[in-house]
């Protein structure tokens, strides 16, 4: 397996983490409009699909760790986008915490 797959998996996890951090930071400030879910969706889709190409193109089977990390990154990206989309749909005056 090439180092390219590992690099792309690392980029996938870093970009997903960056969007999650940015979303959390904006949520605590009360800013929903500054986080653009459509831009995030396109970036998250690109970084989730790119590692798949070298994983499938290897002559030998890719290690389970690479497939596992790719899956973790893919699921995390889906959760980040779902949270951003849900946050965008909450009305401005609605409380964001229970209690």
């Amino acid at each position: 397996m090439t180092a390219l797959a590992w690099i792309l998996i690392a980029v996938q996890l870093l970009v997903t983490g960056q969007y999650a951090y940015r979303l959390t930071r904006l949520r605590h400030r009360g800013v929903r409009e500054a986080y653009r879910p459509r831009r995030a969706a396109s970036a998250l889709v690109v970084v989730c699909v790119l590692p798949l190409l070298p994983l499938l193109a290897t002559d030998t089977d890719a290690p389970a760790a690479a497939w596992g990390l790719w899956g973790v990154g893919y699921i995390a990206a889906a959760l980040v986008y779902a949270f951003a989309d849900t946050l965008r749909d909450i009305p401005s005056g609605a409380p964001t915490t229970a209690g």
Side-chain angles (χ1 to χ4, degrees):
M1 185 159 126
T2 64
L4 178 63
W6 287 107
I7 291 170
L8 290 174
I9 289 170
V11 168
Q12 173 191 14
L13 294 173
L14 288 173
V15 168
T16 302
Q18 181 262 338
Y19 273 109
Y21 173 75
R22 182 175 166 197
L23 177 64
T24 303
R25 194 166 153 215
L26 291 174
R27 179 179 153 233
H28 287 299
R29 284 191 200 164
V31 179
R32 287 187 201 90
E33 292 77 24
Y35 186 79
R36 297 184 180 110
R38 290 183 189 190
R39 180 182 291 173
S42 60
L44 292 172
V45 166
V46 168
V47 298
C48 287
V49 172
L50 283 179
L52 188 60
L53 301 174
L55 286 174
L56 292 174
T58 56
D59 293 335
T60 60
D61 290 334
W67 282 106
L69 282 175
W70 175 77
V72 166
Y74 195 83
I75 291 170
L79 290 173
V80 166
Y81 177 74
F83 184 68
D85 193 42
T86 301
L87 185 63
R88 183 180 55 107
D89 291 341
I90 295 174
S92 297
T96 56
T97 58

